């Protein structure tokens, strides 16, 4: 399994239940592919460099995890169809292998 990190942000005005549902969906997708979440960092509200979908701030979360490379496409698909996630980025980490 390879090491990855996922950074995503949601609208800061979302209720905590919706944020929790997004996290549960991500955890479930990683676990179904026999992956393992190593660390979750809630960065909180950050100002965006430019306006995205009429938002000037985002509520950021960073997730470090291990997964098979074949399962990353499914995680990317799930994040794309999740309406609460405004933007996301998945990066492979060579330093955590």
């Amino acid at each position: 399994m390879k090491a990855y990190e996922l950074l995503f942000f949601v609208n800061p005005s979302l209720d905590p239940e919706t944020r929790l549902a997004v996290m549960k969906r991500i955890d479930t997708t990683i676990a179904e592919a026999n992956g393992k979440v190593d660390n979750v960092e809630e960065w909180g509200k950050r100002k965006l460099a430019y306006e995205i979908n009429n938002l000037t701030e985002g509520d950021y979360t960073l997730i470090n995890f291990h997964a098979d490379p074949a399962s990353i496409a499914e995680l990317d698909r799930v994040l794309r169809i999740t309406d609460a996630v405004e933007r996301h980025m998945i990066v492979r980490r060579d330093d955590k292998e």
Side-chain angles (χ1 to χ4, degrees), residues 9-14 19 45-60 83-87:
F9 79 89
V10 297
N11 188 334
S13 64
L14 285 178
R19 286 190 199 133
K45 273 197 223 180
R46 302 280 173 127
K47 186 166 175 53
L48 301 177
Y50 54 91
E51 192 173 295
I52 298 174
N53 297 338
N54 297 325
L55 295 175
T56 57
E57 288 185 327
D59 191 358
Y60 282 83
D83 291 333
V85 176
E86 297 292 334
R87 295 281 165 98

Side-chain angles (χ1 to χ4, degrees), residues 44-96:
K45 273 197 223 180
R46 302 280 173 127
K47 186 166 175 53
L48 301 177
Y50 54 91
E51 192 173 295
I52 298 174
N53 297 338
N54 297 325
L55 295 175
T56 57
E57 288 185 327
D59 191 358
Y60 282 83
T61 305
L62 175 72
I63 301 173
N64 291 313
F65 65 99
H66 281 79
D68 290 324
S71 65
I72 298 302
E74 175 63 16
L75 179 60
D76 188 49
R77 185 191 71 80
V78 167
L79 288 165
R80 285 180 195 267
I81 63 173
T82 304
D83 291 333
V85 176
E86 297 292 334
R87 295 281 165 98
H88 71 279
M89 182 171 58
I90 304 171
V91 179
R92 182 167 165 224
R93 305 248 342 229
D94 292 330
D95 59 337
K96 297 281 186 176

Side-chain angles (χ1 to χ4, degrees), residues 3-70:
Y4 293 93
E5 80 178 13
L6 162 65
L7 179 65
F8 70 93
F9 79 89
V10 297
N11 188 334
S13 64
L14 285 178
D15 56 290
E17 293 83 27
T18 305
R19 286 190 199 133
L20 190 61
V22 169
M23 282 300 301
K24 184 161 179 61
R25 181 85 189 259
I26 292 169
D27 285 341
T28 304
T29 305
I30 293 171
E32 284 176 352
N34 297 323
K36 180 179 150 262
V37 174
D38 298 325
N39 187 24
V40 176
E41 292 180 28
E42 304 254 348
W43 286 3
K45 273 197 223 180
R46 302 280 173 127
K47 186 166 175 53
L48 301 177
Y50 54 91
E51 192 173 295
I52 298 174
N53 297 338
N54 297 325
L55 295 175
T56 57
E57 288 185 327
D59 191 358
Y60 282 83
T61 305
L62 175 72
I63 301 173
N64 291 313
F65 65 99
H66 281 79
D68 290 324

